[in-house]
Short mmCIF file of all heavy atoms in Angstrom, two decimals:
data_model
loop_
_atom_site.label_atom_id
_atom_site.label_comp_id
_atom_site.label_asym_id
_atom_site.label_seq_id
_atom_site.Cartn_x
_atom_site.Cartn_y
_atom_site.Cartn_z
N ALA A 177 -5.40 0.20 -9.10
CA ALA A 177 -6.07 -1.01 -9.56
C ALA A 177 -7.55 -0.86 -9.17
O ALA A 177 -7.85 -0.25 -8.14
CB ALA A 177 -5.48 -2.22 -8.86
N THR A 178 -8.44 -1.38 -9.99
CA THR A 178 -9.84 -1.36 -9.57
C THR A 178 -9.96 -2.31 -8.38
O THR A 178 -9.11 -3.19 -8.17
CB THR A 178 -10.78 -1.87 -10.68
OG1 THR A 178 -10.44 -3.22 -10.96
CG2 THR A 178 -10.64 -1.02 -11.94
N ALA A 179 -11.02 -2.11 -7.62
CA ALA A 179 -11.23 -2.98 -6.45
C ALA A 179 -11.27 -4.45 -6.90
O ALA A 179 -10.74 -5.33 -6.23
CB ALA A 179 -12.52 -2.59 -5.75
N GLU A 180 -11.85 -4.71 -8.07
CA GLU A 180 -11.95 -6.09 -8.55
C GLU A 180 -10.57 -6.64 -8.95
O GLU A 180 -10.26 -7.79 -8.67
CB GLU A 180 -12.90 -6.19 -9.77
CG GLU A 180 -14.36 -5.96 -9.45
CD GLU A 180 -14.70 -4.50 -9.12
OE1 GLU A 180 -13.96 -3.58 -9.56
OE2 GLU A 180 -15.69 -4.29 -8.40
N GLN A 181 -9.77 -5.79 -9.61
CA GLN A 181 -8.41 -6.24 -9.99
C GLN A 181 -7.59 -6.57 -8.75
O GLN A 181 -6.88 -7.58 -8.69
CB GLN A 181 -7.68 -5.13 -10.77
CG GLN A 181 -8.06 -5.01 -12.21
CD GLN A 181 -7.41 -3.78 -12.86
OE1 GLN A 181 -7.31 -2.72 -12.25
NE2 GLN A 181 -6.95 -3.95 -14.09
N ALA A 182 -7.68 -5.71 -7.75
CA ALA A 182 -6.90 -5.94 -6.52
C ALA A 182 -7.42 -7.18 -5.81
O ALA A 182 -6.64 -8.06 -5.42
CB ALA A 182 -6.98 -4.71 -5.61
N GLN A 183 -8.74 -7.28 -5.67
CA GLN A 183 -9.34 -8.43 -4.96
C GLN A 183 -8.92 -9.75 -5.63
O GLN A 183 -8.62 -10.73 -4.97
CB GLN A 183 -10.87 -8.29 -4.91
CG GLN A 183 -11.64 -9.56 -4.53
CD GLN A 183 -11.29 -10.14 -3.15
OE1 GLN A 183 -10.83 -9.41 -2.26
NE2 GLN A 183 -11.50 -11.43 -2.98
N GLU A 184 -8.88 -9.74 -6.97
CA GLU A 184 -8.53 -10.97 -7.69
C GLU A 184 -7.15 -11.46 -7.28
O GLU A 184 -6.93 -12.65 -7.04
CB GLU A 184 -8.56 -10.68 -9.22
CG GLU A 184 -8.28 -11.89 -10.07
CD GLU A 184 -8.16 -11.55 -11.55
OE1 GLU A 184 -7.68 -10.44 -11.89
OE2 GLU A 184 -8.50 -12.42 -12.37
N VAL A 185 -6.20 -10.52 -7.15
CA VAL A 185 -4.83 -10.94 -6.79
C VAL A 185 -4.77 -11.30 -5.30
O VAL A 185 -4.14 -12.30 -4.91
CB VAL A 185 -3.81 -9.83 -7.14
CG1 VAL A 185 -2.41 -10.25 -6.72
CG2 VAL A 185 -3.86 -9.52 -8.63
N HIS A 186 -5.45 -10.52 -4.46
CA HIS A 186 -5.44 -10.83 -3.02
C HIS A 186 -6.02 -12.24 -2.79
O HIS A 186 -5.50 -13.02 -1.99
CB HIS A 186 -6.26 -9.81 -2.25
CG HIS A 186 -5.54 -8.50 -2.03
ND1 HIS A 186 -5.37 -7.93 -0.80
CD2 HIS A 186 -4.91 -7.68 -2.92
CE1 HIS A 186 -4.69 -6.80 -0.93
NE2 HIS A 186 -4.40 -6.63 -2.20
N GLN A 187 -7.10 -12.53 -3.50
CA GLN A 187 -7.75 -13.85 -3.34
C GLN A 187 -6.80 -14.95 -3.84
O GLN A 187 -6.67 -16.01 -3.21
CB GLN A 187 -9.05 -13.85 -4.14
CG GLN A 187 -9.86 -15.10 -3.93
CD GLN A 187 -11.19 -15.04 -4.68
OE1 GLN A 187 -11.66 -13.95 -5.06
NE2 GLN A 187 -11.78 -16.18 -4.93
N TYR A 188 -6.13 -14.66 -4.93
CA TYR A 188 -5.17 -15.64 -5.48
C TYR A 188 -4.08 -15.93 -4.44
O TYR A 188 -3.70 -17.09 -4.22
CB TYR A 188 -4.55 -15.07 -6.77
CG TYR A 188 -3.49 -15.96 -7.35
CD1 TYR A 188 -3.84 -17.06 -8.12
CD2 TYR A 188 -2.13 -15.72 -7.11
CE1 TYR A 188 -2.86 -17.91 -8.63
CE2 TYR A 188 -1.16 -16.57 -7.61
CZ TYR A 188 -1.52 -17.66 -8.37
OH TYR A 188 -0.56 -18.48 -8.86
N ILE A 189 -3.59 -14.86 -3.80
CA ILE A 189 -2.53 -15.05 -2.79
C ILE A 189 -3.07 -15.90 -1.63
O ILE A 189 -2.43 -16.86 -1.20
CB ILE A 189 -2.05 -13.68 -2.26
CG1 ILE A 189 -1.35 -12.88 -3.37
CG2 ILE A 189 -1.11 -13.84 -1.04
CD1 ILE A 189 -1.05 -11.42 -3.03
N ARG A 190 -4.25 -15.53 -1.14
CA ARG A 190 -4.79 -16.25 0.02
C ARG A 190 -5.08 -17.70 -0.32
O ARG A 190 -4.78 -18.61 0.47
CB ARG A 190 -6.04 -15.53 0.56
CG ARG A 190 -6.28 -15.83 2.04
CD ARG A 190 -7.47 -15.11 2.64
NE ARG A 190 -7.45 -13.66 2.56
CZ ARG A 190 -6.70 -12.88 3.36
NH1 ARG A 190 -5.93 -13.40 4.28
NH2 ARG A 190 -6.74 -11.56 3.23
N GLU A 191 -5.66 -17.95 -1.49
CA GLU A 191 -5.99 -19.32 -1.86
C GLU A 191 -4.71 -20.15 -2.04
O GLU A 191 -4.68 -21.33 -1.68
CB GLU A 191 -6.85 -19.34 -3.13
CG GLU A 191 -8.28 -18.88 -2.81
CD GLU A 191 -9.20 -18.82 -4.04
OE1 GLU A 191 -8.74 -19.06 -5.17
OE2 GLU A 191 -10.38 -18.51 -3.82
N GLY A 192 -3.69 -19.51 -2.57
CA GLY A 192 -2.41 -20.23 -2.74
C GLY A 192 -1.82 -20.61 -1.38
O GLY A 192 -1.32 -21.73 -1.19
N LEU A 193 -1.90 -19.69 -0.44
CA LEU A 193 -1.38 -19.98 0.90
C LEU A 193 -2.21 -21.06 1.58
O LEU A 193 -1.68 -21.90 2.31
CB LEU A 193 -1.37 -18.70 1.75
CG LEU A 193 -0.37 -17.61 1.35
CD1 LEU A 193 -0.56 -16.37 2.20
CD2 LEU A 193 1.05 -18.12 1.46
N ALA A 194 -3.52 -21.03 1.34
CA ALA A 194 -4.42 -21.99 2.00
C ALA A 194 -4.05 -23.42 1.63
O ALA A 194 -4.25 -24.35 2.40
CB ALA A 194 -5.85 -21.69 1.62
N LYS A 195 -3.49 -23.59 0.42
CA LYS A 195 -3.10 -24.95 0.02
C LYS A 195 -1.92 -25.44 0.85
O LYS A 195 -1.65 -26.62 0.97
CB LYS A 195 -2.70 -24.97 -1.45
CG LYS A 195 -3.90 -24.77 -2.37
CD LYS A 195 -3.48 -24.79 -3.84
CE LYS A 195 -4.62 -24.23 -4.68
NZ LYS A 195 -4.17 -23.45 -5.82
#
Side-chain angles (χ1 to χ4, degrees):
T178 63
E180 291 72 25
Q181 280 173 321
Q183 165 60 24
E184 184 187 32
V185 179
H186 282 234
Q187 186 177 341
Y188 176 81
I189 294 169
R190 204 178 302 284
E191 286 178 356
L193 291 175
K195 290 180 194 144

